[in-house]
Amino acid sequence: MSSDCFIRAAAIAIFIGSAASSALGDITIPTVPIGNAGNAPDPTTGYGSVAYTYNIGTTEVTNAQYAAFLNAKAAADPFNLFNPNMAGPFGGITRSGSSGSYTYATINGRENNPVNFVSFWDATRFVNWLHNGQGQGDTETGAYPLTSTGISSNTITRHSGAIWAVTSEDEWYKAAYHQPTSQGGDGDSYWLFPTSSNSALLADANWGNVVGNTSPVGSFAANFYGVFDLAGNVREFNEAILGPDDAFRGMRGGSMYSSFFGNDLQADSRGFAYPTTEVEYYGFRVVQIPAPSSVALLAIGGVIAARRRR
Ligand SMILES: [Ca+2]
Ligand SMILES: [Ca+2]
Ligand SMILES: [Ca+2]
């Protein structure tokens, strides 16, 4: 069992802060490119090889980004994209109004904290919405075909044409631990911690329960690829299907509660959780996949341009 399976006292409903900025209009998800396509996997664990260049969310998905999604798609909220704990002391989003006309706002000072109390299915709906152009874009099709049987059997996988997606385990692992030896990395091109190091201090990330809550994304240093908060803050769902009866989804990177000893920030700690779990120390990160067709067109364009230059 992963260390996340211990019971945490749920956020008590002490309402703090006041409804602040409403989140309307299209959002931008900052990403950084992860190059070194075709890298070898970590010889210690077998993870981390990705054949293509992709862009990964610079940070965990934030309350402000998720609130914009809620305002676009959860006026009635039949899929429970909102969790009432989001309005509590560990969350960052409040809901007003009645079903059919719900509106959402971020809590003052927590706009840029990672969204939490979200399930893996909430994450797939968020990226379907991104894939479908935001606004009134569909949440049930696109990057992930979300059929009720697929959800109940936990068998849903990424569509090959996905533009946005929840990170795969290898995409997450590579962004977190990879750094080629030739580019200043460890001897085997993989670090043990997502901080591009083989050890981590409490000052390097939000972990060890020092902060005691989530912290604004980007509060700690970025790693080799320029990615923040892969270590700690919220633990992040990935697409991997694993565990007894394939009932779980992958989790990586540890959380604000991760222990300084025997911690789960490390590359050799493969975590998992039920895809329906919604707690204060779970969140997610997205990837943006450049369309193969546009890459091919660019290549063809390059050939044409080269021929014209002759
Ligand atoms: Ca939910
Ligand atoms: Ca190593
Ligand atoms: Ca994290």
Side-chain angles (χ1 to χ4, degrees):
M1 262 303 144
S2 89
S3 58
D4 281 328
C5 292
F6 63 88
I7 305 294
R8 275 272 164 191
I12 315 287
I14 304 165
F15 187 86
I16 56 166
S18 57
S21 59
S22 65
L24 294 168
D26 279 3
I27 56 167
T28 300
I29 307 279
T31 62
V32 291
I34 307 296
N36 297 308
N39 62 305
D42 186 336
T44 305
T45 64
Y47 297 108
S49 175
V50 181
Y52 46 89
T53 296
Y54 59 102
N55 301 308
I56 195 165
T58 309
T59 70
E60 298 143 330
V61 171
T62 66
N63 285 318
Q65 292 162 353
Y66 195 83
F69 170 55
L70 292 173
N71 276 320
K73 296 301 295 184
D77 201 18
F79 301 117
N80 295 312
L81 301 172
F82 178 75
N83 178 319
N85 286 322
M86 289 176 179
F90 286 96
I93 302 173
T94 60
R95 178 159 78 182
S96 308
S98 53
S99 183
S101 57
Y102 286 137
T103 58
Y104 303 85
T106 50
I107 292 173
N108 265 336
R110 296 186 66 84
E111 301 87 347
N112 291 319
N113 288 49
V115 67
N116 48 12
F117 301 107
V118 280
S119 69
F120 178 76
W121 304 121
D122 295 328
T124 59
R125 288 184 162 114
F126 180 80
V127 295
N128 275 346
W129 176 71
L130 293 180
H131 175 101
N132 291 317
Q134 305 186 32
Q136 287 310 301
D138 189 27
T139 62
E140 306 308 294
T141 59
Y144 302 94
L146 296 177
T147 61
S148 56
T149 52
I151 288 175
S152 61
S153 59
N154 194 36
T155 53
I156 289 168
T157 56
R158 183 189 302 182
H159 186 275
S160 59
I163 301 168
W164 290 93
V166 180
T167 54
S168 73
E169 185 167 27
D170 284 317
E171 289 162 350
W172 197 99
Y173 192 103
K174 179 177 178 178
Y177 304 111
H178 182 249
Q179 181 176 358
T181 309
S182 62
Q183 296 172 36
D186 200 19
D188 59 3
S189 297
Y190 284 89
W191 298 108
L192 190 56
F193 284 83
T195 49
S196 302
S197 63
N198 284 329
S199 62
L201 302 172
L202 289 172
D204 293 338
N206 181 6
W207 66 304
N209 206 9
V210 175
V211 177
N213 202 320
T214 61
S215 47
V217 298
S219 295
F220 298 85
N223 75 356
F224 165 67
Y225 279 115
V227 189
F228 293 89
D229 294 297
L230 290 158
N233 216 9
V234 288
R235 208 170 189 212
E236 301 170 31
F237 276 111
N238 65 62
E239 290 178 328
I241 297 170
L242 73 167
D245 302 323
D246 285 341
F248 297 93
R249 293 285 172 160
M251 301 290 306
R252 278 196 174 270
S255 75
M256 57 196 180
Y257 295 141
S258 293
S259 168
F260 192 69
F261 301 101
N263 70 79
D264 50 6
L265 276 64
Q266 295 183 190
D268 55 3
S269 176
R270 192 183 192 215
F272 52 87
Y274 285 113
T276 50
T277 307
E278 301 184 350
V279 291
E280 72 273 27
Y281 53 103
Y282 282 4
F284 68 102
R285 186 182 302 262
V286 301
V287 287
Q288 189 268 325
I289 310 295
S293 56
S294 66
V295 174
L297 283 171
L298 282 173
I300 292 166
V303 169
I304 291 168
R307 283 179 177 164
R308 281 181 180 164
R309 278 198 294 271
R310 281 180 193 167

